[in-house]
Amino acid sequence: MLKLLSSSSSSCLHGRLHSLHPGPTELASPVLRVLGSLTGLTRPSPNSARRAFFCSDGSDGSDQVVEIEFKGAGAEAEAESKSSSAIVSTNPRPEDYLTVLALPLPHRPLFPGFYMPIYVKDPKLLAALQESRKRQAPYAGAFLLKDEPGTDPSLVSGSETDKNIHDLKGKELFNRLHEVGTLAQISSIQGDQVVLIGHRRLRITEMDKPYNKDDDVIKATSFEVISTLRDVLKTSSLWRDHVQTYTQHIGDFNFPRLADFGAAISGANKLQCQKVLEELDVYKRLELTLELVKKEIEISKIQESIAKAIEEKISGEQRRYLLNEQLKAIKKELGLETDDKTALSEKFRERLEPNRENCPPHVLQVIEEELTKLQLLEASSSEFNVTRNYLDWLTSIPWGNYSDENFDVLRAQKILDEDHYGLNDVKERILEFIAVGKLRGISQGKIICLSGPPGVGKTSIGRSIARALNRNFFRFSVGGLSDVAEIKGHRRTYIGAMPGKMVQCLKNVGTANPLVLIDEIDKLGRGHAGDPASALLELLDPEQNANFLDHYLDVPIDLSKVLFVCTANVVEMIPNPLLDRMEVISIAGYITDEKMHIARDYLEKTTREACGIKPEQVEVTDAALLGLIENYCREAGVRSLQKHIEKIYRKIALQLVRQGASDEAAVADKKQSLPDRPAAVEVQLVDTDETQVEDDKLDQKVVSSKNQTAAESLEGNDDDHSSETSAEEVTIQMALPEEPAVVEVQVADTDEPVDSKDAKETEKIQEGEATKTVEKVLVDSSNLADFVGKPVFHAERIYDQTPIGVVMGLAWTAMGGSTLYIETTQIEEAEGKGALHVTGQLGDVMKESAQIAHTVARAILLDKDPDNHTFFANSKLHLHVPAGATPKDGPSAGCTMITSMLSVAMKKPIKRDLAMTGEVTLTRRILPIGGVKEKTIAARRSDVKTIIFPLANKRDFDELAPNVKEGLDVHFVDDYNQIFDLAFSDGQNEKK
């Protein structure tokens, strides 16, 4: 097994280089100082050669030597050996030691005259190198390792290359070596680091090529290399050190050494350097080196230009800075400008001056203290920035600056009606607020909470109220807010501290009495940063907000003149202490008539303008709007209605644009299809005799009949084009029976549009384009589905006449009111089998109501139908509330459940078109419920004629608008016996 010693090999084997025919001791060459003139070189000896010996492990433990022949390396060595010198070197010469170790180099070849440190990991190889150095044979052969086939050298790291050397052994390692290497002197060994100095080239099986030192081409090339190297050496002192080190260890320059030096100091990659090392032709080697140093000088020029540009930029900025500083100093000496701190103080004082009289004394004191503190601080300190920001906020607040309010009730009423239809409760409360302010001469702040389902106009009414009151408007949402600092502000000691929302509000609006809309107050969060709901207690408490304390400002702020309007969907989600400080106004939602007005007067108009459609281009009928409201948008608000109207108008806009594009294409096609105009011929009659006028006219008619198109063109274009037409006149003599007249026919230039028929037709088309109006788009109930798709909702009413055991109830939801059915059926009848099973995703309260209803129905049946008093004791009943996927809860379905059970027990349906709601006690009393308006609207939507409400809700019903109550037969009861009479009567003894 053949192995080659390497710096990473674990074997003890080593390779040696032997000289077969050693020559005499080589003397020093004549001195050629740094980059001076070049010495003459002699031709190498043809008999110089080398052999390499590689050892392998024998089976008996002894070393077996295998001989591989190398040919001599270094024509310059033989040339020097033939030269004479008076001084013989006393140091060991490379030629004196012809048996050396062969070492692979992983990263870069070693050039003659240069140092290279390598690390030897194999302890046996390291010991061999140390032994060679002790025996005065401090030389080794250094060969660059070839890259693995198929690998990119730029992507292989040094550690991977070292690892690959560790894995190579014997002949495999030898085959990976480049043919040309360097005879290197072992300069020092420190630990596992071996420092090599290159001396001569070594090449396997090849001889160095001779060269002529007097060759003009070689001289010219070397002079160009020297000239380029001089330019390169001027750019870096490090390269000048390379020259000194090279001459100290190697001696003066000659042609081969000049090429080696240029390649070694260049920044070329390892393959380019290896190519120079392998090149044995001195001329070609000089050419390769010249190419490398030329590249190096170009890189140096680029580097110099980059450095110059950066230096100019930096020096320009420094010059500008110095000039600015000098300018500031000059202005300060002349009194034209003050320093930054003085300018800031003056700016803060000027900002505070308009409100100084209204500013509270304790705030003025704090501002003066901070201004004094600002003058004592260094501008570069962090405390300076904190103080400056603090003063900026303090002086930005409108202390005592109030806007002039509007106390005109009629004007406020007009503004509110312009923006919103309905919402009479909200409008009435705002008008009351204005009236009180007018009588007192001053207005106070209030906290109003608007509650209702989404889309009823809670947020938008806030802006209208601000406009009606002539107050500035500010809105912020607290939905999901979980940080108290958003309300109360941060402490000034924190980095990036900011005041709370109210201080930001006052700075933005510029007045101390704005209208502040706090949106989604029922969706406040709570986290590790505190409870914002508790922080709002101080803000929304009329007794506390006159001295509201923000953590950042740390001075009391008067918010008593601020009008707070909060919005919420579900009042029950607001914490009770916070809810107690608000005046709640419920906005139940809109009925169909109100939605029709809103859609016609507000939504449609706004959407039409937003889509760029003119009123005469589209017509949406009342039937279409009614179908849209009832079949697509049944929610309490109008947000979904607005989206559907926008969808309709978007489709109309697309239809109008497509129609216009098709009309334009048709006009263009019609223009292209017009026939080519013929040449216009002008006929002129030349009178030869006044008495022959009639004959001449006849002749003219003859000619005109042959040129009818020309005559028609003359009629239409004679006035317009007479001055523009350049005509070629052709005189035609026509022979007639008597004295003929000379007729001149003038052929007009065909480049001018003189064809009368074509011109008139073109004018008609152009006029049609200008005056044509796009056909109006009609949206009716018949084609409504083409614009918004299939209906989303269907009739909530399942039965025209409710069957036995089915009763219609009324429910309240966050989206408004709705109707629901209570269904009861008998499952099993046997003695002692009385039981009740409920389904329909009912909540705990509703399940309890079902149990109460079962007990009350049993007692009522005993009174009303004594013969059937055992029905509930012996019957298993199943009560279901559709729809099963919707969660339901609440006590208001109690009377409906009792009626459904009694209908099954008596096998009798209830009165037609009847709906009821109310909570029932065990003593048959009917308790009040909520959501009267929503439930009434739901009953009207389902065409219910008769409604039963608890007697305690009569006041709520009376407050409803007349159009909501119109056409309804409403009964108010306080005992279930009254409901029994209304539900199961024959219609003659009903009592309202």
Side-chain angles (χ1 to χ4, degrees):
M1 178 178 178
L2 185 66
K3 294 184 179 180
L4 178 68
L5 282 182
S6 70
S7 61
S8 59
S9 175
S10 61
S11 173
C12 66
L13 302 178
H14 58 278
R16 296 177 175 84
L17 296 176
H18 296 274
S19 174
L20 301 180
H21 301 284
T25 303
E26 191 171 292
L27 302 179
S29 61
V31 177
L32 181 66
R33 288 305 170 189
V34 179
L35 299 180
S37 60
L38 300 175
T39 60
L41 301 177
T42 60
R43 297 180 181 274
S45 171
N47 299 323
S48 176
R50 298 285 188 269
R51 289 183 182 178
F53 291 86
F54 294 91
C55 306
S56 63
D57 294 333
S59 58
D60 57 352
S62 62
D63 291 346
Q64 296 179 352
V65 180
V66 181
E67 178 181 306
I68 299 175
E69 183 177 356
F70 293 79
K71 292 188 178 179
E76 63 272 20
E78 187 169 345
E80 291 181 1
S81 66
K82 292 185 179 181
S83 62
S84 60
S85 176
I87 301 176
V88 178
S89 175
T90 59
N91 292 329
R93 300 289 300 274
E95 292 79 7
D96 299 335
Y97 305 100
L98 302 178
T99 302
V100 293
L101 300 173
L103 301 175
L105 304 179
H107 305 301
R108 192 174 176 90
L110 175 62
F111 283 91
F114 281 85
Y115 284 96
M116 177 177 287
I118 64 173
Y119 291 91
V120 179
K121 304 298 183 181
D122 189 344
K124 294 183 178 180
L125 175 59
L126 189 61
L129 291 173
Q130 291 173 344
E131 184 65 26
S132 297
R133 194 163 181 269
K134 291 178 181 178
R135 292 201 307 261
Q136 297 298 316
Y139 288 91
F143 295 88
L144 179 67
L145 190 70
K146 295 179 182 178
D147 294 322
E148 291 186 11
T151 60
D152 188 354
S154 62
L155 301 179
V156 178
S157 63
S159 60
E160 293 178 352
T161 306
D162 294 337
K163 184 178 179 181
N164 294 336
I165 295 177
H166 289 292
D167 299 334
L168 297 177
K169 306 291 182 183
K171 205 156 200 172
E172 183 182 3
L173 178 59
F174 172 71
N175 293 333
R176 287 281 303 277
L177 296 179
H178 285 276
E179 294 180 355
V180 177
T182 306
L183 179 63
Q185 178 183 351
I186 304 172
S187 175
S188 64
I189 301 176
Q190 296 179 354
D192 60 350
Q193 184 185 51
V194 179
V195 180
L196 303 178
I197 303 177
H199 283 277
R200 306 290 172 82
R201 280 180 173 78
L202 296 175
R203 183 182 182 92
I204 302 174
T205 70
E206 289 190 9
M207 298 270 306
D208 283 343
K209 297 181 180 179
Y211 70 95
N212 184 8
K213 68 176 182 178
D214 297 325
D215 187 272
D216 294 337
V217 177
I218 293 179
K219 285 184 178 181
T221 306
S222 64
F223 290 153
E224 183 63 23
V225 172
I226 292 172
S227 176
T228 307
L229 282 175
R230 282 175 176 169
D231 295 336
V232 172
L233 293 175
K234 292 177 182 178
T235 61
S236 175
S237 60
L238 179 62
W239 289 359
R240 290 192 291 270
D241 296 340
H242 279 305
V243 177
Q244 297 175 1
T245 305
Y246 190 88
T247 55
Q248 289 174 1
H249 290 86
I250 301 301
D252 297 324
F253 285 94
N254 52 28
F255 292 141
R257 290 177 180 175
L258 180 64
D260 293 343
F261 178 79
I265 69 172
S266 70
N269 58 38
K270 64 178 183 180
L271 296 180
Q272 291 174 327
C273 294
Q274 178 66 26
K275 189 175 180 181
V276 175
L277 184 65
E278 292 178 357
E279 183 57 59
L280 301 179
D281 189 300
V282 175
Y283 170 66
K284 292 182 179 179
R285 193 190 308 169
L286 284 171
E287 281 188 328
L288 293 174
T289 301
L290 181 60
E291 182 180 349
L292 295 182
V293 294
K294 286 290 186 182
K295 289 182 181 179
E296 202 66 33
I297 195 65
E298 292 299 325
I299 294 174
S300 299
K301 290 180 180 179
I302 297 174
Q303 181 181 358
E304 184 179 357
S305 63
I306 294 174
K308 184 178 180 181
I310 295 176
E311 183 179 357
E312 289 178 354
K313 182 179 179 181
I314 294 175
S315 63
E317 292 178 354
Q318 290 177 345
R319 182 172 177 271
R320 183 181 181 85
Y321 173 76
L322 292 175
L323 290 175
N324 284 331
E325 291 297 322
Q326 292 175 1
L327 181 61
K328 289 180 181 179
I330 293 172
K331 288 184 176 181
K332 186 175 180 180
E333 289 295 330
L334 296 177
L336 300 178
E337 184 177 306
T338 57
D339 58 2
D340 293 340
K341 292 188 288 186
T342 306
L344 280 174
S345 299
E346 291 180 358
K347 183 184 75 170
F348 293 144
R349 293 182 187 278
E350 289 175 1
R351 185 187 296 172
L352 181 64
E353 193 61 32
N355 299 327
R356 179 175 289 273
E357 295 181 358
N358 300 325
C359 187
H362 62 276
V363 176
L364 286 175
Q365 181 180 356
V366 172
I367 293 176
E368 292 297 335
E369 291 175 356
E370 293 297 323
L371 287 173
T372 305
K373 178 181 176 182
L374 186 69
Q375 294 295 326
L376 301 177
L377 293 173
E378 290 294 333
S380 59
S381 65
S382 60
E383 185 67 20
F384 180 84
N385 293 326
V386 172
T387 305
R388 181 186 60 187
N389 293 336
Y390 182 49
L391 282 170
D392 185 43
W393 281 103
L394 275 178
T395 55
S396 298
I397 295 178
W399 302 102
N401 183 21
Y402 302 105
S403 60
D404 297 332
E405 289 197 71
N406 170 41
F407 292 119
D408 188 350
V409 177
L410 298 179
R411 177 176 175 273
Q413 178 77 53
K414 181 180 178 181
I415 293 174
L416 293 173
D417 291 338
E418 284 177 359
D419 296 343
H420 292 80
Y421 181 84
L423 302 180
N424 294 326
D425 294 345
V426 182
K427 294 177 181 178
E428 191 71 18
R429 181 64 187 88
I430 299 304
L431 295 178
E432 292 172 1
F433 179 82
I434 295 175
V436 172
K438 183 176 183 179
L439 293 178
R440 292 189 56 190
I442 187 173
S443 61
Q444 293 293 324
K446 288 292 180 182
I447 296 95
I448 299 173
C449 180
L450 306 178
S451 68
V456 296
K458 299 184 300 297
T459 303
S460 60
I461 192 65
R463 193 178 298 275
S464 299
I465 294 172
R467 192 161 72 92
L469 296 175
N470 194 29
R471 291 194 178 200
N472 293 324
F473 179 76
F474 184 84
R475 172 192 172 272
F476 70 95
S477 176
V478 294
L481 189 68
S482 60
D483 190 358
V484 174
E486 292 291 330
I487 307 297
K488 299 277 289 181
H490 302 86
R491 302 289 182 185
R492 290 200 305 276
T493 54
Y494 297 149
I495 296 176
M498 289 282 290
K501 284 293 184 181
M502 277 312 302
V503 177
Q504 298 177 31
C505 161
L506 296 179
K507 179 181 178 180
N508 289 339
V509 300
T511 58
N513 62 337
L515 186 144
V516 178
L517 180 71
I518 305 177
D519 220 351
E520 309 295 348
I521 200 169
D522 58 329
K523 300 176 182 62
L524 279 169
R526 188 171 188 174
H528 67 281
D531 183 11
S534 301
L536 284 174
L537 293 177
E538 180 185 1
L539 181 64
L540 300 181
D541 191 343
E543 300 298 328
Q544 300 182 41
N545 61 14
N547 294 295
F548 177 74
L549 189 64
D550 185 88
H551 289 162
Y552 183 86
L553 294 184
D554 205 24
V555 292
I557 304 174
D558 185 8
L559 301 179
S560 60
K561 301 295 191 300
V562 178
L563 176 59
F564 292 96
V565 177
C566 306
T567 66
N569 295 125
V570 183
V571 178
E572 288 75 13
M573 298 295 294
I574 304 175
N576 287 332
L578 189 59
L579 183 63
D580 185 59
R581 288 161 169 78
M582 302 177 184
E583 182 180 349
V584 179
I585 300 177
S586 298
I587 304 176
Y590 301 106
I591 61 174
T592 302
D593 295 341
E594 292 175 335
K595 287 185 178 181
M596 285 287 293
H597 280 91
I598 294 171
R600 182 68 72 189
D601 299 337
Y602 300 92
L603 302 181
E604 186 184 5
K605 179 181 177 181
T606 305
T607 306
R608 185 172 59 241
E609 293 176 353
C611 294
I613 300 175
K614 299 178 180 179
E616 60 270 13
Q617 292 179 311
V618 64
E619 179 183 355
V620 182
T621 63
D622 292 341
L625 287 178
L626 183 62
L628 193 65
I629 293 169
E630 292 184 345
N631 300 328
Y632 297 87
C633 312
R634 285 190 180 179
E635 74 283 351
V638 292
R639 187 169 292 148
S640 178
L641 179 60
Q642 181 181 7
K643 292 178 182 177
H644 281 78
I645 292 176
E646 290 174 353
K647 187 175 182 180
I648 291 174
Y649 272 89
R650 286 197 303 269
K651 290 187 177 295
I652 292 174
L654 179 60
Q655 184 175 339
L656 292 175
V657 172
R658 283 178 174 171
Q659 183 178 345
S662 61
D663 291 345
E664 291 175 1
V667 171
D669 293 341
K670 193 169 184 180
K671 286 181 179 180
Q672 293 177 0
S673 63
L674 291 177
D676 296 335
R677 59 180 181 274
V681 181
E682 183 179 352
V683 181
Q684 295 182 355
L685 181 62
V686 180
D687 252 344
T688 57
D689 193 346
E690 294 182 358
T691 61
Q692 298 294 329
V693 174
E694 297 297 330
D695 294 336
D696 296 340
K697 290 181 178 179
L698 177 63
D699 297 338
Q700 183 181 2
K701 290 179 180 178
V702 173
V703 177
S704 300
S705 64
K706 295 180 181 180
N707 301 279
Q708 184 176 358
T709 305
E712 292 174 352
S713 176
L714 180 62
E715 277 183 313
N717 298 284
D718 183 55
D719 295 335
D720 296 337
H721 304 283
S722 59
S723 60
E724 301 176 6
T725 306
S726 61
E728 178 187 357
E729 295 186 358
V730 179
T731 303
I732 302 176
Q733 292 184 355
M734 301 184 64
L736 293 177
E738 297 180 358
E739 299 178 6
V742 180
V743 179
E744 293 184 0
V745 180
Q746 187 177 25
V747 182
D749 191 358
T750 58
D751 291 340
E752 298 295 332
V754 295
D755 193 326
S756 176
K757 283 187 176 180
D758 295 348
K760 289 182 179 179
E761 189 168 0
T762 303
E763 289 177 1
K764 289 181 180 179
I765 293 173
Q766 292 175 349
E767 291 176 1
E769 285 184 37
T771 60
K772 185 178 180 63
T773 58
V774 182
E775 183 179 355
K776 177 181 287 189
V777 179
L778 178 65
V779 181
D780 200 356
S781 58
S782 59
N783 63 348
L784 181 62
D786 298 337
F787 294 92
V788 291
K790 295 181 180 179
V792 178
F793 298 101
H794 300 282
E796 292 180 356
R797 188 163 182 171
I798 303 176
Y799 311 100
D800 289 335
Q801 170 62 50
T802 52
I804 294 174
V806 179
V807 182
M808 180 186 289
L810 300 174
W812 177 93
T813 66
M815 300 295 292
S818 65
T819 58
L820 77 163
Y821 287 93
I822 307 293
E823 301 176 345
T824 306
T825 185
Q826 184 181 17
I827 301 175
E828 181 182 0
E829 184 176 7
E831 180 131 6
K833 292 289 185 179
L836 177 65
H837 178 63
V838 295
T839 57
Q841 202 169 347
L842 308 182
D844 293 337
V845 176
M846 204 164 183
K847 289 179 181 178
E848 292 176 356
S849 295
Q851 294 296 331
I852 295 172
H854 188 261
T855 302
V856 175
R858 187 170 184 172
I860 293 175
L861 185 64
L862 181 62
D863 295 340
K864 303 296 183 181
D865 191 2
D867 297 336
N868 194 23
H869 68 279
T870 60
F871 175 82
F872 288 104
N874 301 329
S875 299
K876 184 178 182 180
L877 302 180
H878 181 188
L879 185 145
H880 177 66
V881 183
T886 305
K888 311 168 192 69
D889 203 1
S892 62
C895 62
T896 313
M897 292 178 177
I898 295 175
T899 306
S900 175
M901 295 177 188
L902 290 176
S903 175
V904 173
M906 297 187 300
K907 295 181 174 53
K908 181 179 180 180
I910 68 167
K911 179 183 176 180
R912 186 174 183 177
D913 296 335
L914 174 66
M916 63 185 69
T917 179
E919 181 181 356
V920 180
T921 67
L922 288 173
T923 58
R924 310 181 192 180
R925 303 295 297 177
I926 307 299
L927 302 182
I929 47 86
V932 172
K933 182 177 181 180
E934 290 87 348
K935 294 180 178 180
T936 305
I937 294 172
R940 286 178 61 87
R941 189 166 56 238
S942 297
D943 293 330
V944 173
K945 305 301 181 184
T946 306
I947 305 176
I948 299 176
F949 279 131
L951 182 62
N953 291 112
K954 188 175 186 304
R955 181 175 58 85
D956 300 328
F957 183 82
D958 292 340
E959 292 177 354
L960 298 180
N963 58 345
V964 178
K965 299 184 291 184
E966 183 180 359
L968 294 177
D969 183 17
V970 182
H971 299 266
F972 300 98
V973 298
D974 58 356
D975 187 84
Y976 184 79
N977 292 326
Q978 298 171 308
I979 298 178
F980 184 89
D981 296 338
L982 291 169
F984 297 103
S985 66
D986 55 3
Q988 297 179 356
N989 299 320
E990 296 179 10
K991 184 177 181 181
K992 186 172 180 179

